[in-house]
Amino acid sequence: MTNNTPPAETRREPLDVLFTVLTLGTGGMERRCLLLAGALAERGWRVGILTLKPWSEPVGALDPRVRLFMIDLSGWRVAAWLQFYRLLLRLRPTVYHGFGTLAGFPGTVLARMAGVPVVVNALVISATYYPRWFAPFSWLCFLFAHHAIANSRGVHDDCVRHWWFPARKITTIPNPVDTSAWPCRDQTLRAQTRAELGLSDEQMVMGVVARLSGQKGHKYLFDALAQVADERPETVLILVGEGPLLGELTAYAEKLGLAERIHFLGRRNDVPRLLQAFDLFCLPSLFEGMPNVVLEGMAAGLAVISTTVPGAVELVVPGETGWLIPVADSAALAEALREALSDRDRLLAYGQAGRRRVEQDFDLAVIIRRYLEFYERFAKVRSAA
C-alpha cells in the first residue's frame, strides 16, 4: 500500500546537498537520484531528497541516512513556492541539485534567491524530444542554475545545438550503475528463475525492462519478433514494467499471433535476479537521455540490442557488446535478432565484454568520484567569485 507522506524528518543540521525530483516512484532518473544520494551519504555527506509530488514508494533502495522532504507543488500554488523557499533557508544546502526541468525549474529559481552557493540542474533527455512550449521553462532553469550536468554526450550536444545552451556551462557525467548489486551470469539464479517462469534452459529468452509507453518502442520489437518467429520457435520475449499501453500491447501481441511467446510480468522488485534468466537484452526506444536499463543489462552480463538513441550509443559497442539499430526500424531489428539468437557463444562473449565495460567506466564508485570532483571544484570556483 502506498504511503502518501515521507518518513518524519527531525534533524536540523544544514545539508551538504539537496536533490530535488518530482517523485521517487517511477524510473531511471529517480533511481539515479537514489544511487547518488546513498553513495554520498555513505561517504559522510549530509544529504536530503525533496519530492514535489505526494510521497510514493521509491523505485530503488533508499539509504536511511538520507533525509526526505515533500512539498506538493502541483498547481504551482504560491503557498507551496513559499514553503519551498523557507525549506531552503532552513536547510541551507551547500549544493542544490535538481533533476529535470519540471523539478529543477522552481528549485533553481528559489535556490538562487535563497543564496545557495552551488545551484546545479540535471539535463536528462535530448532537447529534440521536448515540445516547443517546454523550451522557456528549460531556459529559465538553465539560466538560474550556476551549471548543468548532462547524463550523456548526446544530451549535451542536443541542448547546445537545439536550445543554444552555452557548452561551457554544461558538464557531462553519465549515469551510474552499482555493479555489486547486479549478479552476472549466475547459473544457479538462471536455473531457479527460469523454473519459476516456466522456461526451459533450451529456450532463447530476450527481455525488455521498461515502462509500457510509446517512448519505449515495444511495438517495433513485436513486429521484429513476428518476422523471426518461424525461424526461431524456441524464442520468447519477457516484458518487465507497467504503463498505459498494457492493454494495447497485449492486444497487439494476440493480433500478431505471439500471445504465447510474449510474457508480461508487470512491475518487479527482483530485476537483478530476473535478468539472470535472459539470454539477450533489448531496448527499442524512440528517445532516451542515458538509459539506465541498458547499463543494468550490461552489468548483468547480457548482450544488448538497442536503438541509436542518446546515451545508448555511448554504452553499446557494436561488434563487441551488442548491436545498435536505427530508431523505429523493425526490419533492422529483426536482422539483429536473427544474428544474435543464432549464436549463444557470441551472446556470452558480448555479455562478458559489456560487464567489463560497465565496471571500468560506469560503476557507481567511478561515477561518484566524478560527482565529488565536480561539486568540490565548482564550490571552490563559487567561493572565489
Side-chain angles (χ1 to χ4, degrees), residues 189-211:
L189 286 180
R190 175 183 173 88
Q192 290 175 352
T193 308
R194 285 204 168 203
E196 292 168 10
L197 296 174
L199 302 171
S200 69
D201 193 54
E202 290 72 31
Q203 287 179 291
M204 291 292 287
V205 179
M206 58 181 181
V208 182
V209 180
R211 179 171 167 78

Side-chain angles (χ1 to χ4, degrees), residues 205-382:
V205 179
M206 58 181 181
V208 182
V209 180
R211 179 171 167 78
L212 303 181
S213 67
Q215 173 195 349
K216 302 301 181 179
H218 292 87
K219 282 191 173 182
Y220 297 99
L221 183 55
F222 286 19
D223 288 337
L225 178 58
Q227 294 178 49
V228 303
D230 291 341
E231 307 164 37
R232 312 299 310 187
E234 77 285 5
T235 301
V236 298
L237 171 61
I238 291 179
L239 304 183
V240 181
E242 56 190 6
L245 294 188
L246 174 60
E248 184 177 332
L249 289 173
T250 301
Y252 195 57
E254 293 175 354
K255 177 182 177 181
L256 293 174
L258 298 174
E260 299 300 319
R261 306 273 293 273
I262 300 178
H263 305 271
F264 293 82
L265 300 190
R267 180 171 178 171
R268 298 283 295 239
N269 296 319
D270 61 343
V271 173
R273 179 175 178 272
L274 191 62
L275 260 58
Q276 295 306 297
F278 293 7
D279 295 295
L280 175 67
F281 191 90
C282 299
L283 188 71
S285 290
L286 306 184
F287 60 94
E288 293 285 349
M290 167 66 78
N292 285 314
V293 292
V294 169
L295 277 169
E296 292 162 356
M298 293 168 68
L302 296 173
V304 175
I305 296 177
S306 176
T307 48
T308 53
V309 291
V313 297
E314 298 162 39
L315 299 175
V316 180
V317 181
E320 182 178 327
T321 68
W323 295 259
L324 287 171
I325 54 101
V327 171
D329 189 336
S330 296
L333 183 50
E335 190 56 38
L337 289 178
R338 286 189 182 94
E339 188 174 332
L341 297 172
S342 65
D343 192 340
R344 287 181 182 266
D345 290 338
R346 176 184 288 187
L347 291 180
L348 286 170
Y350 281 11
Q352 291 167 353
R355 172 72 181 206
R356 290 193 297 269
R357 177 167 168 73
V358 167
E359 288 176 335
Q360 178 178 332
D361 296 329
F362 302 98
D363 183 69
L364 179 60
V366 175
I367 301 302
I368 200 64
R369 282 198 297 270
R370 295 181 62 175
Y371 270 99
L372 289 171
E373 291 168 0
F374 171 84
Y375 290 146
E376 292 166 0
R377 172 172 51 84
F378 207 76
K380 289 178 181 177
V381 171
R382 292 296 308 154

Side-chain angles (χ1 to χ4, degrees), residues 130-144:
Y130 283 120
R132 288 185 177 274
W133 63 264
F134 208 75
F137 293 98
S138 296
W139 253 107
L140 286 170
C141 183
F142 188 79
L143 289 174
F144 275 95

Side-chain angles (χ1 to χ4, degrees), residues 113-125:
M113 291 174 59
V116 175
V118 179
V119 179
V120 178
N121 198 62
L123 304 172
V124 298
I125 201 164

